[in-house]
Amino acid sequence: SAVISQKPSRDICQRGTSLTIQCQVDSQVTMMFWYRQQPGQSLTLIATANQGSEATYESGFVIDKFPISRPNLTFSTLTVSNMSPEDSSIYLCSVEQGVGTEAFFGQGTRLTVV
Amino acid sequence: GENVEQHPSTLSVQEGDSAVIKCTYSDSASNYFPWYKQELGKRPQLIIDIRSNVGEKKDQRIAVTLNKTAKHFSLHITETQPEDSAVYFCAASLKGAAGNKLTFGGGTRVLVKP
């Protein structure tokens, strides 16, 4: 399985600021995804990070709030913009090494907005 | 889009007993059904998965069954141990298609009492 490194692991941020989360994989992967997991809740897909093109966002998530980059097949970033306390969550990167293969998760970024 | 319902939300069992978690899905086109285990403060980890061309899959104390007609699948853990205590998530997706993505159930918090 792919080794996924996500940074930072946690952060406490002031409201109105932005945080960029990085996801680095040790091998090229076909698919990269970003999820949000609110406290005590399930995982909700934010967007699919597409290499070389704009991310595909799920209903309820917009590019202005959650801009995503994926410059190559091993790296992606998620930015949480203009943060409010409601953005306090765990953000998880997920990858699939090939089409039709299982998904693996990074260790997550625990974000607290104060 | 796909909708996945998971029951029960909490499950308490005595060590050595069996645990069963059930999920239903809405999209008959879904063909891949993984189960993830998430321990407190850790990333979700894939424990078993099943594809729509099989009805049952087993791995040691863990088994998953799939009923495509009824659109439901279940996780069975036998001879439960305290280390099985965690939150378990089921998911569904359409593997092999463009934009394949996982839709998660709400999760089941399992407590195994020694």
Side-chain angles (χ1 to χ4, degrees):
Chain A
S1 62
V3 176
I4 307 166
S5 177
Q6 196 174 327
K7 293 193 289 188
S9 58
R10 59 178 61 228
D11 208 341
I12 300 173
C13 300
Q14 295 291 322
R15 68 178 67 200
T17 62
S18 298
L19 176 71
T20 295
I21 303 167
Q22 297 180 358
C23 179
Q24 178 73 56
V25 192
D26 69 341
S27 59
Q28 293 185 345
V29 295
T30 304
M31 308 290 287
M32 296 184 80
F33 305 91
W34 287 98
Y35 286 84
R36 182 174 72 182
Q37 187 174 27
Q38 294 178 303
Q41 302 295 313
S42 185
L43 291 86
T44 301
L45 182 64
I46 297 171
T48 302
N50 300 309
Q51 194 263 327
S53 65
E54 194 170 285
T56 304
Y57 289 85
E58 296 301 304
S59 176
F61 297 96
V62 295
I63 187 171
D64 289 347
K65 177 68 176 176
F66 298 102
I68 288 170
S69 79
R70 189 178 172 193
N72 55 51
L73 293 176
T74 64
F75 185 77
S76 178
T77 66
L78 168 74
T79 299
V80 186
S81 303
N82 189 25
M83 288 184 284
S84 67
E86 292 70 39
D87 295 320
S88 297
S89 282
I90 297 172
Y91 293 86
L92 293 144
C93 168
S94 174
V95 307
E96 294 178 7
Q97 289 183 282
V99 176
T101 62
E102 58 267 34
F104 297 98
F105 286 86
Q107 74 270 32
T109 296
R110 183 179 295 272
L111 171 62
T112 303
V113 183
V114 297
Chain B
E2 176 67 281
N3 183 52
V4 178
E5 300 281 340
Q6 184 172 345
H7 299 281
S9 57
T10 60
L11 181 59
S12 182
V13 297
Q14 208 64 40
E15 182 178 359
D17 289 350
S18 294
V20 180
I21 303 170
K22 298 182 179 182
C23 290
T24 60
Y25 61 99
S26 62
D27 188 350
S28 57
S30 289
N31 60 8
Y32 176 67
F33 308 92
W35 287 86
Y36 287 85
K37 175 183 180 182
Q38 187 176 32
E39 297 176 359
L40 189 64
K42 298 196 174 178
R43 73 187 79 191
Q45 297 221 307
L46 179 72
I47 56 171
I48 196 167
D49 57 11
I50 191 168
R51 297 181 189 265
S52 60
N53 57 345
V54 299
E56 185 173 358
K57 185 176 178 180
K58 195 171 182 180
D59 182 4
Q60 300 183 335
R61 296 187 296 109
I62 293 172
V64 57
T65 58
L66 171 65
N67 183 325
K68 285 194 306 181
T69 303
K71 290 189 285 189
H72 67 71
F73 56 113
S74 300
L75 178 71
H76 304 252
I77 307 173
T78 58
E79 301 171 21
T80 54
Q81 301 167 3
E83 51 265 37
D84 294 328
S85 296
V87 179
Y88 292 80
F89 293 100
C90 64
S93 80
L94 176 58
K95 281 291 184 183
N100 61 300
K101 56 192 180 184
L102 290 172
T103 301
F104 283 85
T108 298
R109 185 174 301 276
V110 174
L111 175 63
V112 180
K113 295 179 287 186

